[in-house]
Amino acid sequence: MSLKCKIGLHSWVGCKCSSCGATRDKEHDTSNGCGKCSKCGKELDLHEWSKNCEKCSKCGKTREAHHSWEKDCEKCSTCGTTRNDKHHKVNGICQVCGHGTFVDENDKRTYKTIKIGEQIIMAENFARKPATGNCWAYEDHSNNVTKHGYLYDLETAKAMVPKGWHLPSKAEWQTLHHFLGDDDKKVYDHLKAGGSSGFDGVFGGWRSAKGTFNGLGASAHFWSDTADADGKVWHYKLGAFSHKAELEKGDAGLALSVRLFLDK
């Protein structure tokens, strides 16, 4: 060994000293594959699986059973890889992952569906205008309905539910919240528009019993069917400024958004 190498002044060519043959754990040569340095022989794990969980995009190495199909039977939630004919649909909704569509026979409107935990939920705000009852487009502008749906008072929300669906209870909202981690801020991140759960909670605002519209773009409020001892009714709120998802109580005369849950 040369004097330079003895005092640590190696002549590094990548990960290997050209003079004494010593190696270091950087600048490995992966030209022949991501799993082993072709210069020093060190076993490595430098594969790139982000584009496909089962095929390295750098060296082409493959592996099995690494895709995540729990959220969508036909799209990996990790890398986005797709496959066909894997849903097990009943009436348009996959009974495994919850993805699918529901067509409301009353007005032929189609709603996307998702599954969070064991609950299958509409992934869009309900938007049917009932023949009787009370509902409002935000600030009475019909163009708000396409994205945000209608705001309904509680009795109307209960009365217009299509067969096979129901207005969720407080307990069902709590179950959803618990499944997503029980942390108000983390749950909010899952449920907000574009969040990882697919719930796509758009901020449709609310209408007071006196007729004032509030909160478009700032909050989302979804009815439950559960009243408290004081007569107030529970609803589930997403706050754009607080970045929280939480249960609140309010007057039954409020008009709020509706997300329906599939009957079990």
Side-chain angles (χ1 to χ4, degrees):
M1 179 182 293
S2 69
L3 178 61
K4 284 186 176 181
C5 292
K6 286 181 179 179
I7 63 174
L9 298 176
H10 294 286
S11 299
W12 295 113
V13 179
C15 63
K16 192 170 184 179
C17 176
S18 61
S19 178
C20 71
T23 60
R24 61 181 180 176
D25 196 18
K26 60 180 179 179
E27 298 186 36
H28 292 293
D29 183 351
T30 57
S31 59
N32 292 330
C34 305
K36 188 175 184 179
C37 176
S38 59
K39 187 175 291 293
C40 72
K42 181 179 176 63
E43 296 291 333
L44 305 171
D45 186 9
L46 300 176
H47 296 293
E48 176 54 65
W49 306 108
S50 62
K51 294 181 180 179
N52 187 324
C53 296
E54 296 183 359
K55 185 176 182 180
C56 174
S57 60
K58 293 196 295 185
C59 72
K61 178 181 174 63
T62 59
R63 59 183 183 175
E64 296 182 352
H66 279 78
H67 287 304
S68 178
W69 308 110
E70 289 83 3
K71 292 182 179 180
D72 187 333
C73 295
E74 295 186 356
K75 185 176 181 180
C76 174
S77 59
T78 303
C79 70
T81 294
T82 59
R83 59 184 184 174
N84 297 320
D85 301 321
K86 296 297 182 181
H87 287 308
H88 301 271
K89 290 187 175 181
V90 176
N91 296 324
I93 300 173
C94 179
Q95 301 302 294
V96 177
C97 71
H99 277 258
T101 55
F102 167 75
V103 179
D104 184 358
E105 291 301 324
N106 293 279
D107 61 1
K108 304 304 180 183
R109 185 183 290 270
T110 300
Y111 297 90
K112 296 176 184 177
T113 63
I114 56 168
K115 188 176 184 181
I116 299 178
E118 295 302 314
Q119 300 178 121
I120 294 176
I121 306 167
M122 287 188 183
E124 301 174 69
N125 290 358
F126 205 61
R128 190 211 312 159
K129 190 171 185 177
T132 60
N134 299 309
C135 73
W136 297 265
Y138 192 93
E139 290 188 337
D140 299 317
H141 295 318
S142 58
N143 58 338
N144 283 323
V145 176
T146 302
K147 179 177 181 179
H148 301 289
Y150 283 105
L151 301 172
Y152 303 89
D153 69 16
L154 181 60
E155 291 308 311
T156 303
K158 289 180 177 179
M160 65 171 190
V161 175
K163 184 178 179 181
W165 295 83
H166 63 275
L167 203 63
S169 65
K170 176 189 177 186
E172 285 174 303
W173 282 119
Q174 289 173 316
T175 297
L176 175 147
H177 196 87
H178 177 72
F179 180 81
L180 294 175
D182 252 348
D183 179 285
D184 292 354
K185 290 184 178 291
K186 290 181 180 179
V187 174
Y188 168 85
D189 286 336
H190 287 299
L191 297 179
K192 67 183 180 181
S196 60
S197 71
F199 184 85
D200 203 26
V202 294
F203 302 119
W206 56 285
R207 181 185 183 274
S208 74
K210 294 182 178 180
T212 303
F213 291 94
N214 305 274
L216 185 69
S219 61
H221 305 259
F222 306 103
W223 278 120
S224 85
D225 69 355
T226 307
D228 212 355
D230 60 6
K232 301 289 186 181
V233 182
W234 289 96
H235 65 266
Y236 197 73
K237 176 187 175 183
L238 303 179
F241 299 116
S242 66
H243 296 276
K244 287 184 177 183
E246 54 193 336
L247 279 160
E248 288 189 346
K249 289 191 293 185
D251 190 88
L254 298 176
L256 309 179
S257 299
V258 167
R259 288 293 181 99
L260 298 177
F261 286 40
L262 188 67
D263 294 347
K264 293 183 179 180

